[in-house]
């Protein structure tokens, strides 16, 4: 899998209340959630973000609440993947489970400025910054997680497994 | 090499003799929980799996607490979806009433989460049940859906951080202050992916209510779980309630800790976490000039009977400041009833506080105390993120119930000592 988009750069500890505030959690509709994505920190984000754009952040991205609405809102807003120095663990699981690729790469984050054009190759974990010409390699996924990602997330993976068990 | 309690519980549920931190294992889960927000998504994912029922109807619960009673039509519809599905599948369902309330207060109270178990919940504060000696962790709705269907889940075995507390607690320094001090020291990702093991004589001296307050906020340091040893107090709490037999696990003497921290609490003061991170911890005494608009006493962190008793000790015979909205919410039906019997509700109402219905209340900006632009709230909850309780420019200050009650009276951040001193002078 391969993505190409502009970088949106955020700081450390971007929590899920900032990504999608609690007051909007009376819906599960991805489009409605996308309309408020990142509202706590940049109310213009949902209007400015383009399909394929990439969120770049510091440490502990997605901390706080377990709300899966957070990765759903990012994905539905058009974000193709998130690169961060580190992720909060529940957000990391949720993102993989719903098919929003997340890459951990502190060196790449340090070298990315807002608006930089990035190319991300998920299979190799390569992050290429077109502006600077630099290429970085994200921390590789464990094989089990790659299997989940290739299956399209936890639900297709589990459905296939349950079918096998029944057969 | 010995194992920690967390490792032993995971090994037992994976059918293994031994596990190591970093191992990816599939475990059998003893209990799965979701709330009205996360269950709505979990249901949608569950329906994609092609299975009819949940793995065990007695081991899956939905607790409606975030938008209950519903503040608007959309929330009401969401709650209807969750309630209808729960009834159709025959799983456990709590929504207000005699036994309902906040998920993390209800499930221990009802004896549905027990020592030695693996509990997963689609709510980040599921780590609360670790105070019972369980391995309990928050997940998203998709993980919860898969666990509801299969009774299984994959986990990465976390390394354990041991936190040893000794010394003597000064007046008004509570369990809330212990965990805030700790997060202030290690940071909001200080225990990322780890199991925090809280131990030592100070932890042993706490009631179960206090212990739940501490494990509740393990997630605020990024932890996967927060655990405590099972002792006589745990067993006294669990035995009359337990709906199933349970097993007690303990750390081996040669268990391995990735991090080992030692805290002498004797010099610690009551503290407040100022906006916008739970790790921004400052002594209450340094914040006395900050005026406030609201006080909230309640939540899965501090909505238990001991918290209400503490607030009542400060509010008895006092008046809430005329410019402050003081909201007090008992965390569950049984807690509410107990508070009524003890006369605490009388004290609150007499003081000018509003007593709400058992629910999450304003904690996550849902309703019943949402903050407007620039408004400030002293809150006994667990998060002070930007916009957590309402408008992005509003501010939340995290405190213990005594400090919150004192601040409600003074109209600014205040210590319980100040209220006492004022009363003596009057």
């Amino acid at each position: 899998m391969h993505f190409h988009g502009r970088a949106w750069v955020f700081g450390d500890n971007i929590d899920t209340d900032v990504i999608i505030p609690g007051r909007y959690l009376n819906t599960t509709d991805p489009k409605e959630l996308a309309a408020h994505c990142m509202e706590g920190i940049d109310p213009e984000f949902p209007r400015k973000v383009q399909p394929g754009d990439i969120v770049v952040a510091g440490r502990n991205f997605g901390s706080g609440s377990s709300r899966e609405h957070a990765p759903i809102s990012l994905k539905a807003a058009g974000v193709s993947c998130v690169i961060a120095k580190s992720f909060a663990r529940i957000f990391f699981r949720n993102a993989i489970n719903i098919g929003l690729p997340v890459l951990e790469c502190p060196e790449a984050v340090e070298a990315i400025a807002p608006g930089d054009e990035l190319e991300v190759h998920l299979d190799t974990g390569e992050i290429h910054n077109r502006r600077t010409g630099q290429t970085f390699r994200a921390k590789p996924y464990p094989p089990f997680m790659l299997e989940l990602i290739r299956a399209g997330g936890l639900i297709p993976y589990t459905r296939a497994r349950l079918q096998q068990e029944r057969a | 090499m010995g194992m920690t309690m967390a490792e032993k519980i995971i090994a037992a549920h994976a059918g293994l003799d031994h596990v190591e931190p970093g191992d990816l294992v599939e475990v059998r889960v003893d209990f799965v929980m979701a709330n009205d927000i996360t269950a709505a998504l979990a249901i949608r994912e569950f329906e994609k799996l092609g299975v009819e029922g949940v793995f065990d109807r007695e081991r899956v619960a939905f607790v409606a607490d975030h938008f209950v009673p519903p503040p608007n039509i959309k929330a009401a519809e969401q709650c209807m979806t969750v309630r209808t599905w729960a009834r159709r599948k025959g799983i456990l369902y709590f929504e207000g009433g005699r036994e309902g309330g906040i998920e993390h207060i209800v499930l221990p109270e009802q004896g549905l989460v027990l020592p030695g178990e693996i509990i997963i919940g689609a709510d980040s504060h599921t780590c609360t049940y670790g105070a019972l000696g369980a391995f309990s962790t928050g997940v998203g709705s998709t993980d919860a859906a898969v666990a509801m269907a299969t009774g299984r889940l994959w986990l990465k075995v976390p390394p354990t951080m041991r936190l040893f507390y000794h010394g003597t607690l000064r007046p008004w320094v509570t369990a809330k202050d212990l965990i805030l001090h700790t997060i202030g020291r290690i940071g909001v990702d200080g225990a990322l992916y780890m199991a925090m093991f809280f131990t030592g004589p100070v932890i042993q001296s706490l009631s179960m209510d206090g212990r739940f307050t501490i494990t509740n906020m393990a997630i605020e340091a990024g932890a996967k779980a927060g655990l405590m040893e099972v002792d006589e107090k745990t067993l006294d709490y669990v035995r009359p309630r337990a709906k199933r037999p349970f097993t007690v696990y303990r750390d081996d003497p040669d268990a391995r800790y990735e991090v080992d921290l030692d805290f002498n609490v004797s010099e610690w003061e009551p503290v407040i976490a100022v906006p916008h991170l739970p790790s921004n911890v400052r002594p209450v005494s340094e914040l006395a000039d900050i005026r406030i608009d609201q006080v909230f006493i309640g939540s899965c962190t501090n909505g238990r009977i001991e918290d209400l008793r503490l607030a009542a000790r400060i509010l008895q015979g006092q008046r809430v400041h005329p410019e402050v909205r003081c909201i007090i919410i008992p965390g569950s039906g049984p807690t509410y009833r107990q508070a009524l019997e003890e006369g605490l509700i009388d004290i609150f109402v007499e003081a000018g506080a509003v007593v709400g219905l058992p629910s999450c209340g304003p904690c996550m900006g849902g309703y019943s105390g949402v903050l407007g632009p620039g408004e400030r709230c002293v809150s006994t909850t667990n998060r002070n993120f930007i916009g957590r309780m309402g408008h992005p420019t509003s501010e939340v200050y995290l405190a213990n119930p005594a400090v919150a009650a004192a601040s409600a009276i003074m109209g600014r951040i205040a210590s319980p000592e100040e209220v006492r001193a004022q009363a003596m002078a009057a």
Side-chain angles (χ1 to χ4, degrees):
Chain A
M1 275 194 277
H2 162 252
F3 308 104
H4 165 231
R6 284 178 311 155
W8 292 81
V9 179
F10 299 98
D12 293 339
N13 301 313
I14 300 297
D15 60 78
T16 53
D17 276 277
V18 161
I19 300 171
I20 181 75
R23 57 189 174 280
Y24 302 120
L25 301 183
N26 55 13
T27 178
T28 56
D29 178 19
K31 280 204 183 67
E32 274 188 66
L33 295 170
H36 301 289
C37 185
M38 303 303 280
E39 191 174 290
I41 197 164
D42 181 1
E44 297 301 312
F45 181 81
R47 278 174 292 285
K48 293 187 299 192
V49 68
Q50 297 294 314
D53 282 358
I54 292 165
V55 165
V56 177
R59 281 166 52 176
N60 202 24
F61 185 84
S63 51
S65 156
S66 70
R67 58 189 72 159
E68 212 161 282
H69 311 65
I72 290 173
S73 78
L74 285 165
K75 193 179 177 190
V79 171
S80 63
C81 69
V82 183
I83 304 166
K85 288 185 184 173
S86 64
F87 289 91
R89 55 160 287 276
I90 305 178
F91 181 91
F92 188 88
R93 277 185 87 110
N94 287 349
I96 299 287
N97 285 347
I98 68 147
L100 174 71
V102 282
L103 294 107
E104 203 176 292
C105 189
E107 306 78 31
V109 172
E110 289 289 350
I112 294 169
D116 282 0
E117 283 203 36
L118 307 178
E119 282 171 40
V120 174
H121 299 268
L122 207 56
D123 289 336
T124 59
E126 272 179 357
I127 300 163
H128 178 66
N129 189 334
R130 284 191 186 170
R131 179 180 65 86
T132 63
Q134 288 172 299
T135 300
F136 299 93
R137 194 171 290 249
K139 198 169 140 188
Y141 293 112
F144 166 72
M145 228 172 274
L146 264 180
E147 212 182 317
L148 268 187
I149 294 167
R150 292 211 178 99
L154 184 63
I155 294 294
Y157 172 87
T158 307
R159 193 174 52 219
R161 241 183 96 183
L162 289 172
Q163 274 164 0
Q164 267 175 11
E165 280 174 22
R166 270 186 234 121
Chain B
M1 181 58 83
M3 289 192 286
T4 66
M5 209 170 134
E7 289 155 9
K8 284 185 182 177
I9 296 172
I10 293 173
H13 286 73
L16 299 168
D17 294 329
H18 192 88
V19 294
E20 297 270 337
D23 289 353
L24 276 171
V25 294
E26 191 179 52
V27 295
R28 180 175 56 72
V29 301
D30 295 293
F31 203 83
V32 186
M33 183 275 298
N35 60 50
D36 47 323
I37 290 173
T38 58
L41 266 181
I43 289 167
R44 196 166 78 191
E45 298 308 310
F46 184 98
E47 297 292 343
K48 294 176 188 166
L49 287 171
V51 293
E52 185 44 42
V54 301
F55 80 103
D56 184 336
R57 288 183 301 178
E58 301 300 316
R59 291 171 183 265
V60 178
F62 288 171
V63 185
D65 57 3
H66 280 61
F67 289 124
V68 171
N72 52 50
I73 295 168
K74 276 168 82 171
E77 285 174 338
Q78 183 159 273
C79 197
M80 286 166 70
T81 305
V82 170
R83 186 192 307 124
T84 309
W85 197 89
R87 293 208 173 123
R88 201 170 72 232
K89 300 292 180 186
I91 64 169
L92 300 164
Y93 181 71
F94 297 92
E95 182 187 335
R98 283 178 61 83
E99 294 172 342
I102 306 170
E103 49 199 343
H104 307 310
I105 298 185
V106 170
L107 297 189
E109 249 173 19
Q110 296 302 319
L112 289 166
V113 289
L114 299 168
E117 294 194 332
I118 291 185
I119 301 131
I120 67 147
D123 188 282
S124 60
H125 293 110
T126 302
C127 51
T128 308
Y129 319 137
L132 297 168
F135 187 89
S136 189
T137 190
V139 295
S141 296
T142 298
D143 274 324
V146 166
M148 278 157 52
T150 63
R152 299 188 305 244
L153 194 74
W154 69 269
L155 288 178
K156 189 158 85 173
V157 179
T160 294
M161 170 189 276
R162 179 172 173 272
L163 305 103
F164 187 86
Y165 298 82
H166 60 95
T168 312
L169 287 175
R170 286 161 65 171
W172 310 112
V173 178
T174 68
K176 180 63 162 287
D177 301 288
L178 294 179
I179 188 65
L180 287 177
H181 267 284
T182 304
I183 297 164
R185 175 94 164 260
I186 68 175
V188 289
D189 59 356
L192 196 62
Y193 284 86
M194 292 187 208
M196 295 172 90
F197 175 55
F198 301 94
T199 185
V202 177
I203 300 298
Q204 283 158 6
S205 75
L206 298 173
S207 66
M208 286 313 296
D209 284 4
R211 296 179 190 185
F212 285 124
T213 299
I214 290 180
T215 49
N216 173 269
M217 289 190 71
I219 179 71
E220 262 52 76
K224 183 168 195 152
L227 295 94
M228 288 180 183
E229 270 155 319
V230 173
D231 62 9
E232 279 309 310
K233 282 185 197 168
T234 325
L235 294 173
D236 286 348
Y237 180 90
V238 168
R239 276 194 190 119
R241 307 161 191 267
K243 297 283 197 289
R244 303 181 289 275
F246 58 87
T247 312
V248 173
Y249 295 90
R250 297 187 191 287
D251 284 27
D252 285 328
D254 59 342
R256 201 172 17 173
Y257 305 108
E258 171 117 344
V259 184
D260 207 340
L261 298 174
D262 180 281
F263 297 107
N264 181 349
V265 305
S266 300
E267 298 300 313
W268 287 4
E269 293 179 48
V271 285
I272 284 192
V274 303
H276 289 286
L277 285 176
S279 56
N280 291 341
V281 172
R282 308 257 302 273
V284 171
S285 52
E286 286 179 15
L287 301 165
D289 54 346
I290 297 178
R291 300 204 67 82
I292 57 166
D293 306 283
Q294 177 165 301
V295 164
F296 171 43
I297 298 169
S299 86
C300 58
T301 313
N302 281 125
R304 298 181 178 80
I305 192 67
E306 184 182 280
D307 303 310
L308 300 181
R309 286 180 192 141
L310 189 56
R313 265 174 69 192
I314 307 297
L315 285 166
Q316 181 149 34
Q318 298 281 344
R319 285 280 182 278
V320 169
H321 192 276
E323 286 169 32
V324 174
R325 189 164 63 220
C326 180
I327 299 155
I328 302 179
I329 304 188
S332 69
T335 307
Y336 203 130
R337 219 158 44 234
Q338 179 80 22
L340 263 177
E341 281 168 19
E342 294 183 18
L344 309 182
I345 305 290
D346 242 9
I347 292 170
F348 298 150
V349 174
E350 187 57 29
V354 173
V355 181
L357 305 164
S359 73
C360 302
C363 172
M364 42 74 77
Y367 75 117
S368 77
V370 175
L371 300 176
E375 281 197 312
R376 291 202 190 103
C377 178
V378 173
S379 178
T380 66
T381 53
N382 42 45
R383 290 189 176 136
N384 55 357
F385 300 149
I386 294 169
R388 169 77 177 178
M389 205 177 274
H391 195 274
T393 62
S394 63
E395 295 183 346
V396 176
Y397 293 76
L398 306 177
N400 79 38
V403 170
S407 303
I409 293 162
M410 304 296 281
R412 56 172 175 81
I413 289 178
S415 78
E417 295 295 352
E418 289 181 76
V419 174
R420 288 284 166 107
Q422 200 188 46
M424 300 275 268

